């Protein structure tokens, strides 16, 4: 650690979009204190590792990253370990890696500037409080935004799926308030965003009182956001099947800004495994939800999460998952090998599945998912859709944006800029992206 107060910072995010959002808010906080981003992590005075604990070897990765931060002269920057590994490992981190100055949980990072000051006075700081949503009221206002922005509306989880560490690292389900969220959404749009993705570990469990004192669910919030001029697209993730309310399903049918894409993890296609996972939905109840969403929004694209090799998963259970995947035909999906998380019930279950079996199952599942994604993309060819341009492409005049169905679309459009929404005809497709040609420019 260097003793001068840090002038440059670097934040490395691991894991989910909620960490990306937290990382952005940390950056805004450091910049409001006069710090600037370091050109490279190696040169930063302050490095934040914003960690994720959801799957394998998370803690090991963090320790090896800490080792790499040591400079040639033996010194190191001020190092803060934030996020879910910090919450799970606590003070153990600075015992194992003495160069770590700060260990800060996901609900306490608004205190980082004071912690950095304390480090300057020679202290080491561990703050793992889970004080609900205090931090949001203490963070500086939102600044310049990319065309597509994240907004955390809810944190934590009460579902206690037996494999998952989130209820322990992020705490209980808690929703941010209506007025705070509408204010932040307006600020994000004023700062340049055209699209907002509402985030939460259980985003569709969001609830709160509106400005008239009426209880609202996520659909109510989405309908209020729909009225913000300048906001063109709304998305949300990650949802739990049990919180897909009538109202939220209906919103997919009649809120035009709500994009036709739903990330709804199912984890397994076997009822026996779903029960052991404590998912509290069945294969059939999950499929019925998809049908109801399809009924109000026929062009809806589905995404999901899958775990293979949960303890006790037989070949027949895995075949049930493969069958579900083929039936749904996802536009995209994430799949993981089960990883025992210390302190979770599944880590103690008998019949842990050998690695080679998990490897084999994962390969088969991923091959199916890639095939479905490729065929979904192929079916988009010839269609006309709007693309929100988000970043430059590899070639001169090329821009890359997102279709309504969250596909990456490469567009040759030298006269357009990032942040424009352009109507394109899709001309070509691959497993990971599409090509489109502008037909006419939609009002940006
Ligand atoms: N092992 C493997 N995958 C997991 N996930 C959560 N916990 C575990 C675990 N212990 C996956 C789930 C979840 C996604 C965010 O990560 O599929 O939906
Ligand atoms: Fe983890 Fe289940 Fe909660 Fe999702 S719903 S965060 S998988 S416990």
């Amino acid at each position: 650690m260097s003793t001068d107060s840090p002038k440059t910072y670097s934040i490395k995010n691991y894991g989910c979009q909620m960490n990306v959002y937290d990382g952005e808010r940390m950056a805004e906080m450091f910049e409001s204190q006069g710090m600037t981003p370091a050109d490279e992590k190696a040169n930063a005075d302050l490095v934040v590792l914003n960690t994720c604990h959801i799957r394998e070897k998370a803690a090991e990765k963090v320790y090896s990253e800490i080792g790499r931060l040591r400079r040639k002269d033996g010194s190191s920057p001020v190092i803060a370990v934030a996020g879910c590994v910090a919450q799970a490992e606590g003070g153990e981190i600075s015992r194992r890696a003495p160069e770590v100055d700060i260990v800060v949980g996901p609900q306490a990072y608004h205190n980082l500037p004071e912690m950095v000051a304390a480090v300057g006075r020679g202290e080491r700081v561990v703050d793992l409080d889970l004080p609900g949503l205090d931090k949001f009221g203490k963070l500086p206002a939102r600044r310049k935004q990319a065309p597509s922005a994240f907004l955390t509306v809810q944190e934590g989880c009460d579902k206690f799926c037996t494999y998952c560490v989130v209820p322990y690292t992020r705490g209980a389900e808690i929703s941010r308030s209506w007025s705070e969220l509408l204010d932040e959404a307006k600020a994000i749009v004023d700062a340049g965003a055209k699209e907002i993705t509402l985030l939460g570990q259980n985003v569709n469990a969001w609830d709160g009182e509106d400005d008239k004192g009426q209880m609202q669910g996520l659909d109510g919030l989405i309908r209020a956001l729909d009225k913000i001029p300048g906001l063109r697209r709304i998305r949300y993730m990650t949802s739990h099947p049990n919180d897909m309310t009538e109202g939220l399903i209906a919103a997919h049918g009649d809120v035009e800004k709500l994009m036709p894409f739903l990330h709804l993890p199912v984890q397994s296609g076997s009822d026996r495994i779903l029960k052991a996972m404590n998912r509290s939905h069945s294969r059939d109840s999950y499929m019925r939800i998809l049908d109801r969403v399809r009924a109000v929004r026929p062009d809806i694209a589905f995404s999901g999460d899958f775990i293979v090799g949960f303890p006790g998963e037989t070949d027949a259970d895995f075949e049930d998952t493969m069958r579900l995947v083929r039936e749904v035909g996802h536009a995209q999906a994430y799949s993981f090998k089960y990883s025992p998380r210390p302190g979770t019930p599944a880590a103690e279950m008998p019949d842990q599945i050998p690695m080679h079996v998990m490897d084999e199952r994962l390969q088969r599942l991923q091959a199916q998912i890639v095939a479905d994604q490729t065929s979904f993309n192929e079916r988009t060819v010839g269609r006309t859709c709007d693309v929100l341009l988000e970043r430059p492409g590899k070639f001169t005049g090329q821009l890359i944006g997102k279709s309504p169905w969250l596909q990456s679309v490469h567009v040759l459009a030298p006269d357009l800029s990032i942040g424009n929404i352009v109507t394109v005809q899709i001309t070509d497709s691959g497993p990971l992206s599409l090509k489109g040609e502008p037909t006419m420019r939609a009002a940006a």
Side-chain angles (χ1 to χ4, degrees):
M1 158 311 292
S2 55
T3 43
D4 292 341
S5 69
K7 296 190 177 50
T8 59
Y9 70 88
S10 164
I11 300 169
K12 177 160 183 179
N13 289 312
Y14 300 78
C16 68
Q17 277 88 351
M18 307 215 25
N19 271 9
V20 176
Y21 174 88
D22 289 342
E24 281 170 9
R25 307 275 344 228
M26 289 177 201
E28 288 167 347
M29 193 166 54
F30 296 144
E31 288 180 25
S32 75
Q33 306 252 314
M35 292 171 68
T36 52
D39 49 355
E40 285 183 58
K41 188 156 61 246
N43 302 330
D45 301 328
L46 165 68
V47 175
V48 180
L49 302 177
N50 194 18
T51 61
C52 168
H53 201 233
I54 204 143
R55 280 178 297 273
E56 298 162 274
K57 302 199 186 86
E60 297 316 311
K61 273 190 221 150
V62 174
Y63 288 117
S64 67
E65 183 71 39
I66 294 167
R68 279 197 294 275
L69 291 173
R70 208 167 296 130
R71 298 179 181 130
K72 284 204 185 76
D73 64 1
S75 69
S76 46
V78 175
I79 302 176
V81 177
C84 291
V85 172
Q87 193 70 36
E89 300 265 304
E92 176 63 21
I93 296 181
S94 33
R95 278 191 289 280
R96 249 183 88 174
E99 55 272 73
V100 171
D101 304 287
I102 297 169
V103 178
V104 56
Q107 303 297 6
Y109 67 77
H110 56 288
N111 297 326
L112 267 168
E114 287 156 34
M115 296 175 184
V116 171
V119 171
R121 298 191 297 272
E123 294 171 34
R124 280 171 147 210
V125 195
V126 176
D127 188 346
L128 303 173
D129 259 10
L130 285 173
L133 301 170
D134 278 11
K135 65 176 180 231
F136 291 110
K138 296 182 180 143
L139 293 166
R142 308 305 316 262
R143 46 165 201 171
K144 195 172 179 316
Q145 288 293 318
S148 177
F150 291 135
L151 174 56
T152 293
V153 304
Q154 175 280 342
E155 289 203 31
C157 181
D158 296 338
K159 305 283 191 292
F160 290 94
C161 300
T162 52
Y163 51 80
C164 186
V165 78
V166 165
Y168 312 96
T169 57
R170 289 266 172 172
E173 268 171 26
I174 180 156
S175 296
R176 294 180 67 191
S177 78
W178 176 271
S179 59
E180 193 178 287
L181 289 171
L182 285 178
D183 288 349
E184 190 173 327
K186 283 176 199 146
I188 291 174
V189 173
D190 285 347
K194 299 273 168 58
E195 172 177 279
I196 293 182
T197 301
L198 306 174
L199 297 179
Q201 262 94 26
N202 261 293
V203 69
N204 57 341
W206 182 89
D207 64 6
E209 268 182 23
D210 65 13
D211 43 2
K212 295 184 191 74
Q214 297 271 339
M215 266 322 265
Q216 296 286 351
L218 189 70
D219 52 313
L221 186 64
I222 288 171
R223 288 177 194 280
L225 293 171
D226 186 43
K227 299 201 181 84
I228 298 179
L231 178 61
R232 303 284 300 276
R233 293 176 158 196
I234 304 169
R235 302 179 185 275
Y236 63 94
M237 69 185 299
T238 291
S239 295
H240 191 285
N242 286 11
D243 293 315
M244 285 307 297
T245 59
E246 280 302 324
L248 187 52
I249 292 175
H252 276 281
D254 58 32
V255 178
E256 210 182 308
K257 290 181 188 174
L258 185 57
M259 290 293 102
F261 184 91
L262 176 61
H263 178 67
L264 192 65
V266 59
Q267 314 296 358
S268 168
S270 152
D271 280 339
R272 213 176 61 81
I273 295 296
L274 288 171
K275 195 145 187 258
M277 287 176 164
N278 190 33
R279 287 290 293 177
S280 63
H281 62 78
S282 65
R283 171 201 179 91
D284 188 50
S285 66
Y286 178 85
M287 296 300 274
R288 270 185 286 134
I289 294 168
L290 301 197
D291 285 344
R292 280 158 57 209
V293 184
R294 260 193 218 105
V296 295
R297 184 77 211 222
D299 71 337
I300 189 89
F302 293 116
S303 157
D305 288 349
F306 294 89
I307 297 177
V308 301
F310 184 83
E313 185 187 69
T314 61
D315 285 342
D317 293 320
F318 176 66
E319 291 309 327
D320 283 343
T321 299
M322 290 295 290
R323 210 155 41 80
L324 180 141
V325 170
R326 284 192 294 266
E327 262 174 59
V328 174
H330 294 84
Q332 52 170 264
Y334 303 87
S335 50
F336 313 102
K337 285 185 275 191
Y338 167 71
S339 156
R341 303 286 79 205
T344 59
E348 309 298 319
M349 287 181 186
D351 289 332
Q352 300 280 327
I353 304 298
M355 191 51 83
H356 72 273
V357 176
M358 289 207 264
D359 282 333
E360 232 170 79
R361 289 180 185 168
L362 189 69
Q363 262 187 28
R364 275 189 59 204
L365 177 58
Q366 291 190 335
Q368 183 66 46
I369 289 170
V370 170
D372 290 343
Q373 187 172 321
T374 307
S375 97
F376 179 81
N377 286 347
E378 278 165 4
R379 291 199 302 277
T380 326
V381 176
R383 282 177 85 155
T384 299
C385 65
D386 282 354
V387 172
L388 170 57
L389 299 170
E390 294 181 17
R391 58 194 170 93
K394 259 200 267 166
F395 308 109
T396 325
Q398 191 191 46
L399 291 164
I400 302 176
K402 289 275 161 49
S403 77
W405 306 283
L406 210 62
Q407 297 145 297
S408 283
V409 188
H410 296 236
V411 185
L412 205 56
D415 56 332
L416 294 177
S417 22
I418 289 171
N420 286 154
I421 294 180
V422 59
T423 306
V424 304
Q425 177 161 46
I426 303 299
T427 54
D428 202 359
S429 79
L432 298 177
S433 64
L434 306 172
K435 269 193 199 143
E437 279 172 14
T439 53
M440 50 174 247
R441 192 182 318 181

